[in-house]
Amino acid sequence: MWMKLITPSILSVLITAVWTLTATGQTIPTPESVLGHKPGADFYLANYDESREYFRKLAANSDRIKLISVGKTTRGLDWEIALISSPENLARLDKYKEIAGRLARGRGLSDEDARALAREGKAIVHLDGGLHSTEVAGAQHSIQLAYNLVATKGDPEIDSILNNVILMLWPTLNPDGQNEVVAWYRKNLGTPYEVSQLPDLYQEYVGHDNNRDGYMNNMIESQEVTRAELEWSPVVFYCHHQTAPFPTRIFIPPFTEPISSNIHPLMARWLNVYGINMAAYLDERQMPGAVHRTGFDNWYPGFLDFTHIFRNSISFFTETALYRYATPRFYTVDEFPKERQALRSEVFYSSPWTGGWWRLGDAVRYMIGASMAVLDTTAKYRETLLYNRYQAARDNIARFRKEPPFAYVIPREQHDLPTAATLVEKLLINGIEVHQTVKPFAANGREYRAGSWVILMDQPFAPLVKELFEPQHYPDLRETPNGPPILPYDVAGWTLPMQMGVETAVVGQPVGADQRAGLRLLERVAPAPGGVQGSGSVFVISHRTNASFKAINEALSAGGKVGFAAEKSPISSGPASAPTSSLAAPTAPTAPTAPTEGQQAGDMVVSGIDRDRMNEIARKHSVIAQALAKAPDGVISTSKPRVGLYRAWVPVIDEGWTRWILENYGFAPKTLRNGDVQAGHLSERFDAIIIPDSSSRVILEGFAAGTIPGEYAGGLGEAGIEALREFTRRGGTLIAFNNASLMAIESLGLPVANVLDGLKNDQFFCSGSLLKVELRDLNHPALWGMPQDPIVMFERGPAFEPKSGFQGVVLATYSKDRNPLASGFLLHPERIQGKAAAMEVFYGRGRVYLFGFRPQWRGQSHGAYKLIFNAIYDSPSLARPTSLQKPSEQKAPDQTSSQPEK
């Protein structure tokens, strides 16, 4: 009956009302209806759990969004991301993912095939709420952006995006950190500590360095991101950061110089197109303050939001202005840097910000604008972008069929074979094609034994291999001919095989069909062989491999006994000798043979454990355990070292990396906070204490009183330093990395000088470059198992010189006669030539190890790990392997310096 009362005009009104409800999102839950606040509201932050709950409700009420799991985080959270597109596109996800993957890899396609796939395909775009959880706006913007895309109907821009783009929206790349940061802010909201710094690494182990793990993929989160990128093949990877260089409101590409030459030019061009389009999009919508080409370069490939460009994905980030958390701030022009107070337009800053209130909501608005610009540009140029990605893969394959390097070889003959296998594993995680030889492989005028690894360079992601394997030559850029150098934003050199101590060889001639016939493509790398050989109840393990420390730490935990051979002992059934740069490896990947390195001083001798258990440990850690009837003469017993790791309340990334490495190698370090050190009696609890790289101020003073809740204020102070003095005097081992060495020198009064003290950047500069050092005596316990001239990462550290009264050992020096630079940039190398890089300084009954570099740099410098492990085990409170040398027996390095080699 009531249907008869509805006239056509009334029906039209009802239809319009229903459409309006849908168009305005009333049938879709708004963020406010679930969170109780609008994303970007003053004094409010949604945590990851709340954000995930909102996304789940959004997905339950819309066919424009689908949630998928990408795994779990380090702290065990379920990690979900959103796929947003039209319902039709989401129904064909597998098809579009397949097309994206075929175009990304370029194999088996003609240009015509690729054009057809580009016309059919959809552009997959990675967009996220950021890596750094204290940069809070990104994760809030993700919530609002998702709602806008899902709920808005009838908007031509959004309809075009949904029809042409499949958005992979990661609400955040650091769920654990988002929860921790939001909890900290809520706890302190309304107190004097409302904007105080979080006294912790917001991502477990690495904090801010979660964006320095792009090619190593050490962290679980990095692995999941890389795996997803390889699975989905997004044509664009866009990550949000904060903050912009003040007073600009958002930094947007183009980046500043230099740029890597291993980026395909199409990717570099598109990166700049996106940047300019973003700035114009923001200006059109009355969001001034975008700046380009300042501060951030395109040099280091290790940024998680940049590594993908070497896999032909247009990868970039922006930096939006931030005050602190969700607390607003008012700025006046007189707070601006003097050169920006005139508010003049500049070539790369054409719409200057004029000051005023800056709120979290403003940052969210700018981020949404930047994200929409990226999606809009992608929708408009979808087909071209997809075809250009195919072109990049095609060009890479063709290029390295015509020009070197044609391949890289990783021989089986290695100083540390398990670490070489780890390098291969890192390549596979990055989507690199790696082959293994099934018969001897001839190249470079030599024959590489079966089981060697070969990376053929005629593959789509070859630029990443070249970027990681070749030495870097950072350009000497200056604003004026006599001006100071333009310094890298991050590091200048990182050549991965150098860092890991792995021998590689460039193949300079094309790899022929007969050579290729002897290769098999790897899906996964088999662990280096390990196990017990021979008969007997005593087992000897080489000191040359990092993995040997995992083995002896596990053996000690299992109740075994461990000692070190003080001198060379003929225990090997293999060849009589081997060069120090090679390790006798199995003739086939599956059959271990006796290691020649078993004749070296420092060999690890394990007893008190049954053969089956020892075999299990050796196989697990890829080490050869040579069984003997009895222990060699002169074995020095040791025990499981008790390791303390100082952890300041000021978050120190180097501490996190150190903790991660020590845990992975079975050292089980105990965290030492300020109060733990100040309480004293350290020698009763620890054999070795490590102070990670940090400034003296951070270690001694920490957070200033009144800037953070009182329990987190302060540093070690005099009480803590006196406790460290007592610990060392009583026989403990104090180990200091990089600039923490300066604190040890000053606080303990060590007779050591830093020859770089007081030098300005134009007088000496080396921030993140690989330097070669010379080891003085490989029979010293601190150097057992090391090669003669390893590579170390020097990053704004000290270089040492003994002073009068010095008692100890100079362990490593920079060459007196040649420039130590192996990869990167070193200004005025003569300042450190002939100077000490690492020292052992005697102090009471103990000693202090000073490392003028970071031997565990970002979990990459595997070639230097043994310096840490040896220092831990070479503790007089365990069993001193060698007696203290008298001062008269110490030979200091030559104090003169010379010009570098021409």
Side-chain angles (χ1 to χ4, degrees):
M1 178 70 182
W2 59 270
M3 287 292 294
K4 297 179 180 180
L5 302 178
I6 300 178
T7 64
S9 59
I10 294 174
L11 182 61
S12 175
V13 170
L14 289 173
I15 292 172
T16 301
V18 170
W19 181 89
T20 301
L21 286 172
T22 302
T24 57
Q26 295 304 304
T27 60
I28 303 294
T30 65
E32 298 94 313
S33 69
V34 176
L35 303 173
H37 299 267
K38 183 176 178 63
D42 288 352
F43 308 111
Y44 173 76
L45 294 171
N47 65 27
Y48 172 72
D49 296 332
E50 293 160 346
S51 170
R52 184 180 58 194
E53 181 62 22
Y54 175 70
F55 273 90
R56 287 176 175 176
K57 291 188 176 181
L58 204 58
N61 288 277
S62 173
D63 57 2
R64 290 182 171 186
I65 178 172
K66 177 180 179 179
L67 300 185
I68 61 172
S69 172
V70 293
K72 287 187 178 290
T73 66
T74 299
R75 296 174 182 167
L77 291 178
D78 292 323
W79 197 1
E80 296 173 358
I81 67 171
L83 301 175
I84 298 175
S85 191
S86 69
E88 295 77 14
N89 290 344
L90 292 180
R92 303 185 69 203
L93 274 178
D94 289 343
K95 177 66 175 177
Y96 293 128
K97 184 164 68 169
E98 178 193 4
I99 291 173
R102 293 184 67 190
L103 291 171
R105 287 163 179 80
R107 294 197 185 279
L109 298 176
S110 66
D111 289 356
E112 293 74 19
D113 294 335
R115 289 191 185 280
L117 288 174
R119 284 192 295 271
E120 181 184 0
K122 304 299 179 183
I124 300 174
V125 173
H126 167 114
L127 200 153
D128 62 65
L131 281 152
H132 299 149
S133 295
T134 51
E135 301 167 6
V136 295
Q140 310 303 305
H141 119 284
S142 300
I143 299 169
Q144 188 66 48
L145 177 66
Y147 172 75
N148 293 351
L149 292 172
V150 168
T152 304
K153 304 290 178 68
D155 181 282
E157 179 187 27
I158 288 180
D159 287 346
S160 176
I161 290 169
L162 295 173
N163 289 333
N164 289 282
V165 174
I166 297 171
L167 171 60
M168 292 179 67
L169 181 58
W170 300 65
T172 175
L173 292 183
N174 185 13
D176 293 340
Q178 185 180 351
N179 275 353
E180 185 175 17
V181 168
V182 172
W184 175 256
Y185 181 62
R186 289 176 179 176
K187 174 183 176 181
N188 294 308
L189 189 63
T191 76
Y193 311 115
E194 182 174 303
V195 295
S196 62
Q197 183 178 340
L198 177 73
D200 193 21
L201 295 170
Y202 47 74
Q203 179 161 326
E204 192 69 33
Y205 300 116
V206 294
H208 199 83
D209 263 8
N210 61 4
N211 197 29
R212 306 297 189 273
D213 196 34
Y215 57 75
M216 284 304 282
N217 293 289
N218 285 317
M219 297 296 111
I220 291 172
E221 288 81 357
S222 306
Q223 295 166 19
E224 296 294 357
V225 171
T226 299
R227 182 194 57 75
E229 301 317 300
L230 291 169
E231 178 184 348
W232 289 87
S233 305
V235 70
V236 175
F237 186 110
Y238 174 28
C239 179
H240 282 279
H241 288 265
Q242 294 177 281
T243 67
F246 186 72
T248 70
R249 294 297 88 188
I250 183 171
F251 164 80
I252 294 175
F255 293 87
T256 191
E257 301 295 339
I259 183 172
S260 169
S261 296
N262 291 321
I263 299 171
H264 191 282
L266 281 172
M267 301 303 104
R269 297 292 187 189
W270 272 113
L271 188 155
N272 295 337
V273 168
Y274 274 99
I276 297 302
N277 283 356
M278 275 191 278
Y281 192 99
L282 294 174
D283 282 339
E284 287 173 4
R285 288 156 180 79
Q286 307 305 309
M287 288 182 270
V291 68
H292 314 271
R293 287 184 61 82
T294 181
F296 307 99
D297 60 39
N298 266 173
W299 185 249
Y300 177 57
F303 300 116
L304 186 61
D305 53 21
F306 184 57
T307 307
H308 315 286
I309 203 165
F310 298 97
R311 291 189 286 259
N312 312 316
S313 179
I314 305 160
S315 304
F316 56 90
F317 62 88
T318 56
E319 298 269 356
T320 304
L322 166 73
Y323 173 50
R324 294 178 187 171
Y325 307 111
T327 299
R329 170 78 149 77
F330 189 88
Y331 295 93
T332 59
V333 173
D334 60 5
E335 294 178 85
F336 291 7
K338 187 175 181 180
E339 66 272 15
R340 288 271 164 82
Q341 291 183 7
L343 304 179
R344 289 185 300 102
S345 294
E346 303 171 16
V347 172
F348 296 111
Y349 183 46
S350 56
S351 56
W353 187 59
T354 59
W357 280 105
W358 186 254
R359 303 177 184 276
L360 174 63
D362 295 315
V364 168
R365 185 164 52 93
Y366 272 63
M367 286 183 170
I368 290 174
S371 293
M372 288 297 295
V374 168
L375 295 172
D376 181 64
T377 299
T378 306
K380 289 175 179 175
Y381 298 101
R382 170 189 60 81
E383 186 176 333
T384 302
L385 287 163
L386 290 172
Y387 185 73
N388 283 172
R389 187 164 195 200
Y390 155 76
Q391 285 182 291
R394 178 202 66 190
D395 293 351
N396 291 336
I397 294 169
R399 173 189 172 188
F400 292 108
R401 286 177 179 163
K402 297 182 294 186
E403 65 181 66
F406 294 97
Y408 288 93
V409 179
I410 303 175
R412 292 294 291 191
E413 297 85 356
Q414 296 286 342
H415 187 89
D416 182 346
L417 184 60
T419 294
T422 298
L423 173 59
V424 175
E425 181 183 33
K426 298 297 182 183
L427 295 174
L428 293 175
I429 290 172
N430 275 290
I432 302 302
E433 298 167 1
V434 181
H435 292 77
Q436 192 164 34
T437 60
V438 296
K439 62 181 182 179
F441 180 80
N444 300 329
R446 63 171 284 190
E447 191 173 85
Y448 298 93
R449 63 184 302 175
S452 297
W453 297 283
V454 178
I455 302 101
L456 299 173
M457 288 295 283
D458 54 346
Q459 59 175 292
F461 305 153
L464 181 57
V465 181
K466 192 166 182 285
E467 185 77 2
L468 297 180
F469 275 49
E470 68 183 4
Q472 283 70 53
H473 303 283
Y474 185 85
D476 190 353
L477 302 173
R478 300 172 190 260
E479 303 242 344
T480 61
N482 296 319
I486 297 174
L487 306 177
Y489 170 67
D490 195 76
V491 298
W494 52 84
T495 311
L496 195 53
M498 288 184 184
Q499 286 198 74
M500 297 182 73
V502 175
E503 179 190 342
T504 62
V506 178
V507 177
Q509 297 295 323
V511 181
D514 56 335
Q515 294 167 293
R516 292 172 185 257
L519 304 176
R520 66 179 179 89
L521 184 65
L522 291 181
E523 293 185 3
R524 57 180 293 274
V525 60
V532 173
Q533 296 180 357
S535 59
S537 59
V538 176
F539 310 99
V540 180
I541 301 171
S542 167
H543 208 107
R544 292 163 64 112
T545 69
N546 291 340
S548 64
F549 285 92
K550 291 183 178 181
I552 64 168
N553 283 336
E554 185 167 344
L556 285 166
S557 296
K561 298 178 181 179
V562 173
F564 298 103
E567 300 176 355
K568 294 184 179 180
S569 54
I571 60 172
S572 172
S573 59
S577 63
T580 57
S581 61
S582 66
L583 168 66
T587 55
T590 56
T593 60
T596 60
E597 72 278 7
Q599 300 177 35
Q600 303 302 312
D603 280 339
M604 302 165 175
V605 182
V606 182
S607 60
I609 188 170
D610 67 70
R611 183 187 179 91
D612 288 344
R613 184 72 176 96
M614 187 69 246
N615 190 57
E616 177 188 345
I617 292 171
R619 288 173 62 86
K620 175 181 176 182
H621 299 298
S622 299
V623 299
I624 303 297
Q626 183 69 42
L628 300 175
K630 65 176 184 176
D633 294 334
V635 173
I636 303 157
S637 297
T638 189
S639 58
K640 186 72 177 287
R642 302 168 300 168
V643 184
L645 178 61
Y646 174 62
R647 187 174 181 181
W649 286 116
V650 177
V652 173
I653 294 170
D654 204 57
E655 179 276 330
W657 279 119
T658 306
R659 179 160 39 95
W660 179 76
I661 291 168
L662 293 179
E663 288 177 2
N664 280 335
Y665 280 85
F667 283 94
K670 301 295 184 183
T671 291
L672 285 171
R673 295 289 191 179
N674 294 327
D676 300 319
V677 178
Q678 292 163 350
H681 304 287
L682 296 172
S683 59
E684 298 172 11
R685 296 178 286 151
F686 300 102
D687 304 302
I689 293 176
I690 298 175
I691 312 293
D693 179 31
S694 189
S695 70
S696 295
R697 187 199 63 77
V698 166
I699 297 169
L700 299 178
E701 301 175 18
F703 286 118
T707 64
I708 197 167
E711 61 267 35
Y712 306 109
L716 284 179
E718 180 55 31
I721 293 301
E722 181 53 37
L724 291 178
R725 293 188 192 116
E726 178 191 28
F727 165 75
T728 312
R729 281 195 297 260
R730 288 177 174 269
T733 297
L734 185 65
I735 303 167
F737 295 158
N738 212 37
N739 288 297
S741 296
L742 301 179
M743 181 282 299
I745 290 170
E746 297 159 6
S747 298
L748 276 66
L750 305 179
V752 176
N754 173 21
V755 300
L756 303 177
D757 185 40
L759 296 183
K760 297 180 180 178
N761 283 345
D762 58 352
Q763 297 173 303
F764 177 85
F765 186 81
C766 187
S767 176
S769 292
L770 302 182
L771 307 185
K772 182 174 288 189
V773 298
E774 298 175 349
L775 303 185
R776 304 295 291 272
D777 179 8
L778 294 181
N779 288 317
H780 189 288
L783 304 179
W784 280 340
M786 293 291 294
Q788 189 72 56
D789 52 357
I791 302 289
V792 300
M793 174 60 80
F794 187 102
E795 191 175 25
R796 295 180 182 266
F800 308 119
E801 189 172 63
K803 294 165 66 173
S804 176
F806 174 81
Q807 296 185 48
V809 180
V810 173
L811 300 171
T813 60
Y814 299 107
S815 173
K816 176 178 177 292
D817 302 317
R818 63 180 181 272
N819 188 337
L821 180 66
S823 181
F825 180 70
L826 173 58
L827 184 65
H828 292 300
E830 69 277 4
R831 299 279 189 183
I832 62 172
Q833 285 179 229
K835 307 304 180 185
M839 309 178 85
E840 177 192 30
V841 186
F842 302 151
Y843 190 86
R845 299 203 306 272
R847 91 289 302 279
V848 181
Y849 278 104
L850 304 176
F851 294 106
F853 49 88
R854 292 171 60 185
Q856 77 316 22
W857 187 76
R858 293 179 181 170
Q860 299 184 26
S861 54
H862 291 241
Y865 283 3
K866 280 190 287 289
L867 296 173
I868 309 169
F869 304 157
N870 284 339
I872 290 171
Y873 264 103
D874 184 27
S875 173
S877 60
L878 293 175
R880 173 75 172 153
T882 56
S883 61
L884 295 179
Q885 290 177 282
K886 298 176 183 177
S888 61
E889 296 173 336
Q890 299 310 308
K891 182 180 179 182
D894 193 323
Q895 301 305 304
T896 62
S897 63
S898 60
Q899 295 299 316
E901 287 183 340
K902 299 297 185 184

